């Protein structure tokens, strides 16, 4: 189970156990996600004590003291965005600290968290970019823009043949592809193999080619969005193409959402992004903002991955939850089961996967707030989940078989 323990503050998740459970369903193929990606025992970095800038004695070197004072003065000069982030952090830091403390304690009792041995620390290494050179999915989506458009009648779901153990290269760009079986399947695309979890579906495309989603006549009760937000580090690294707020507003959420749809948006710690979601984006989609939850990232030894008071990096990310405000007001709908209210604040504590921009699956913590068997959709996804439709220009990226341990080779 993904939820190792639960408290009034939130949940402690074991993502690795959940993902491996997906691939054991229906007998499975014997694949399991590499545990290297969760072998994180030390924080990414630690803050140096501020006392080191204070002179220890009258004989201390004057030039060194001056440099420390200058550095300290510079570090206390914040721009408006940083000031806004500090103010926000003051409001939520105690909630995160106290809530995390109880869940981390339970994590040690349950055996999910533990202090590393010397051998484990030696094995700990970052492997997140080991296979990044094999991902040509985004480039492939760009290439399809020059291809003729598919006419409306051809927007059909490509259902994989469960009797075929290894489907060959198919049309995965202009159709939604579905694995309807209770077993994982492997497909081949551009000579590479990708592992599909049971009862999952995907559309490989960019924001200019979402028509197959719109024409499949399916409405979703949960929509999770992880937008590629614009920021300076993204521009420097050129790791992925960011989208402007205007482009994000053009996502057809109302057309994809079922009545009372729960909309969840991942937001960076930049306050202008948070304000944009709550004050512009959600009102534009007729979504009422209900809550801000936080994903708190810890090491396997129970420490925050970044110091809680670090200025530039925080050990948490924000999720904004809202519900679609439906215009329907029929008696039939009023008689339906009332959904439990969304808590204003919850935390999700887990050891993060080292794969870049990888978020933990939310299905286990959201199921009590939605009707049973609702359709679930993830936008800008890089991996698949059972029972979910996933869309993005790298939607299969982390489904590449090299991210998994093969049952035949053991590696």
């Amino acid at each position: 189970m993904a939820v190792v323990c639960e408290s009034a503050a939130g949940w402690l998740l074991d993502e690795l156990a959940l993902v491996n459970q997906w691939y054991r369903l229906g007998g499975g193929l014997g694949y399991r996600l590499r545990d290297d990606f969760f072998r994180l025992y030390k924080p990414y970095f630690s803050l140096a004590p501020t006392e080191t800038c204070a002179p220890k004695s009258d004989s201390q070197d004057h030039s060194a003291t001056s440099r420390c004072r200058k550095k300290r003065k510079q570090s206390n000069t914040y721009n408006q965005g940083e000031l806004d982030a500090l103010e926000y952090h003051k409001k939520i830091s105690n909630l995160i600290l106290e809530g995390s403390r109880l869940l981390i304690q339970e994590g040690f009792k349950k055996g999910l968290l533990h202090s590393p041995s010397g051998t484990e620390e030696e094995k700990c290494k970052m492997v997140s970019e080991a296979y990044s050179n094999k991902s040509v999915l985004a480039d492939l989506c760009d290439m399809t823009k020059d291809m003729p458009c598919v006419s409306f009648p051809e927007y059909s779901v490509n259902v994989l043949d469960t009797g075929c153990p290894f489907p060959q290269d198919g049309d995965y760009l202009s159709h939604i592809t579905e694995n309807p079986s209770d077993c994982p399947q492997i497909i081949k695309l551009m000579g590479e193999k990708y592992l599909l979890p049971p009862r999952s579906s995907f559309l490989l495309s960019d924001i200019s080619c979402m028509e197959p989603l719109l024409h499949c006549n399916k409405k979703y009760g949960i929509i999770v969005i992880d937008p590629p937000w614009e920021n300076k580090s993204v521009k420097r690294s050129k790791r992925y193409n960011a989208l402007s707020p205007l482009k994000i507003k053009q996502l057809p959420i109302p057309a994809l959402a079922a009545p009372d749809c729960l909309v969840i948006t991942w937001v960076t710690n930049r306050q202008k992004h948070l304000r944009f979601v709550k004050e512009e984006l959600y009102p534009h989609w007729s979504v009422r903002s209900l809550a801000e939850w936080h994903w708190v990232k810890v090491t396997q030894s129970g420490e925050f991955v970044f110091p809680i008071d670090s200025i530039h990096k925080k050990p948490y990310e924000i999720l904004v939850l809202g519900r679609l405000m439906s215009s329907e007001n029929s008696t039939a709908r009023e008689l339906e089961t009332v959904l439990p209210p969304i808590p204003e604040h919850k935390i999700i504590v887990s050891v993060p996967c080292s794969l870049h921009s990888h978020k933990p699956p939310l299905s286990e913590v959201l199921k009590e707030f939605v009707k049973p068997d609702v359709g679930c959709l993830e936008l800008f996804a890089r991996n698949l989940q059972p029972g979910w439709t996933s869309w993005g220009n790298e939607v299969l990226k982390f489904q590449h078989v090299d991210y998994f341990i093969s049952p035949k080779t053991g590696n």
Side-chain angles (χ1 to χ4, degrees):
M1 288 293 293
V3 178
V4 175
C5 55
E6 183 177 353
S7 72
W11 306 268
L12 176 67
L13 300 187
D14 184 350
E15 181 182 347
L16 180 63
L18 177 64
V19 173
N20 287 338
Q21 177 183 319
W22 295 346
Y23 297 100
R24 288 195 298 268
L25 295 175
L29 296 173
Y31 281 88
R32 56 190 175 88
L33 189 62
R34 292 179 176 271
D35 59 3
D36 311 52
F37 300 135
F38 296 91
R39 200 175 288 157
L40 175 64
Y41 289 104
K42 292 183 178 180
Y44 297 140
F45 70 82
S46 300
L47 288 177
T50 54
E51 289 78 15
T52 56
C53 281
K56 296 182 179 179
S57 68
D58 293 338
S59 61
Q60 188 177 21
D61 178 67
H62 176 72
S63 61
T65 306
S66 298
R67 287 195 299 271
C68 274
R69 285 175 178 169
K70 183 177 180 181
K71 183 177 180 181
R72 184 169 54 187
K73 181 179 179 181
Q74 289 174 342
S75 66
N76 288 334
T77 304
Y78 306 121
N79 59 39
Q80 188 58 50
E82 290 170 331
L83 290 172
D84 291 344
L86 285 170
E87 187 63 30
Y88 178 82
H89 178 69
K90 287 178 184 178
K91 294 178 182 177
I92 55 98
S93 58
N94 282 339
L95 289 170
I96 289 176
L97 282 168
E98 288 304 309
S100 301
R101 181 177 59 82
L102 295 174
L103 290 168
I104 289 169
Q105 287 176 356
E106 286 299 310
F108 277 103
K109 292 178 183 177
K110 301 283 187 179
L112 175 65
L113 305 177
H114 61 279
S115 299
S117 65
T119 305
E120 285 174 323
E121 286 201 56
E122 288 177 8
K123 290 181 180 179
C124 181
K125 58 182 179 180
M126 297 297 288
V127 292
S128 60
E129 301 303 323
Y131 309 103
S132 60
N133 61 324
K134 293 188 178 181
S135 180
V136 295
L137 302 176
D139 295 334
L140 187 60
C141 290
D142 282 337
M143 289 167 55
T144 61
K145 293 178 181 178
D146 298 325
M147 297 171 62
C149 293
V150 178
S151 61
F152 175 78
E154 296 181 49
Y155 287 127
S156 59
V157 176
N158 177 26
V159 180
L160 296 179
D161 182 0
T162 56
C164 179
F166 191 81
Q168 296 301 308
D169 284 288
D171 181 5
Y172 302 121
L173 291 159
S174 58
H175 299 272
I176 293 174
T177 299
E178 179 183 355
N179 173 18
S181 75
D182 291 330
C183 296
Q185 290 206 66
I186 292 178
I187 63 171
K188 207 171 186 181
L189 176 62
M190 301 291 287
E192 300 293 340
K193 297 177 186 177
Y194 298 91
L195 183 63
L196 309 187
R199 303 185 307 278
S200 63
S201 58
F202 70 90
L203 173 62
L204 174 61
S205 76
D206 65 14
I207 199 170
S208 68
C209 305
M210 297 185 71
E211 286 82 2
L213 275 180
L214 296 169
H215 294 303
C216 72
N217 297 320
K218 185 172 183 179
K219 301 291 185 178
Y220 299 94
I222 298 176
I223 299 179
V224 175
I225 311 163
D226 186 13
W229 296 104
E230 290 182 322
N231 60 57
K232 292 179 181 178
S233 64
V234 167
K235 290 179 181 178
R236 285 195 299 266
S237 67
K238 298 180 180 180
R239 195 185 294 265
Y240 59 81
N241 294 324
L243 283 184
S244 68
L246 178 61
K247 286 288 187 182
I248 295 172
K249 286 175 75 171
Q250 292 174 359
L251 290 169
I253 299 304
L256 294 167
D260 297 320
C261 175
L262 184 58
V263 180
I264 303 103
T265 304
W266 287 96
V267 184
T268 70
N269 287 314
R270 296 190 68 184
Q271 291 303 291
K272 76 171 188 177
H273 292 158
L274 180 60
R275 287 194 296 267
F276 166 72
V277 170
K278 296 174 67 175
E279 299 171 11
E280 291 187 50
L281 188 63
Y282 277 10
H284 178 73
W285 290 336
S286 297
V287 171
R288 180 162 56 96
S289 181
L290 298 175
E292 290 175 31
W293 293 3
H294 294 84
W295 173 34
V296 183
K297 294 174 272 190
V298 298
T299 67
Q300 287 199 334
S301 51
E303 300 177 86
F304 292 136
V305 297
F306 293 110
I308 189 70
D309 290 322
S310 168
I311 296 171
H312 301 293
K313 291 284 188 179
K314 298 296 183 189
Y316 56 80
E317 294 187 37
I318 306 168
L319 302 89
V320 182
L321 291 82
R323 280 204 191 276
L324 182 72
M325 296 184 290
S326 176
S327 58
E328 299 178 32
N329 192 26
S330 66
T331 304
R333 286 201 61 224
E334 291 174 359
L335 293 176
E336 290 177 354
T337 304
V338 177
L339 297 171
I342 300 293
E344 185 177 350
H345 187 266
K346 284 278 189 177
I347 60 172
I348 300 166
V349 179
S350 71
V351 177
C353 179
S354 62
L355 299 173
H356 174 71
S357 194
H358 185 89
K359 304 296 194 299
L362 302 175
S363 52
E364 292 296 304
V365 301
L366 294 177
K367 61 184 181 182
E368 64 179 290
F369 304 107
V370 295
K371 298 167 189 173
D373 301 319
V374 298
C376 302
L377 173 66
E378 182 175 8
L379 302 179
F380 304 103
R382 289 181 168 185
N383 62 288
L384 309 183
Q385 302 181 56
W388 286 64
T389 299
S390 304
W391 166 84
N393 68 349
E394 290 190 308
V395 72
L396 294 176
K397 181 179 175 68
F398 299 143
Q399 299 302 136
H400 195 287
V401 292
D402 282 349
Y403 289 104
F404 296 82
I405 295 175
S406 166
K408 294 181 180 180
T409 65
N411 55 47

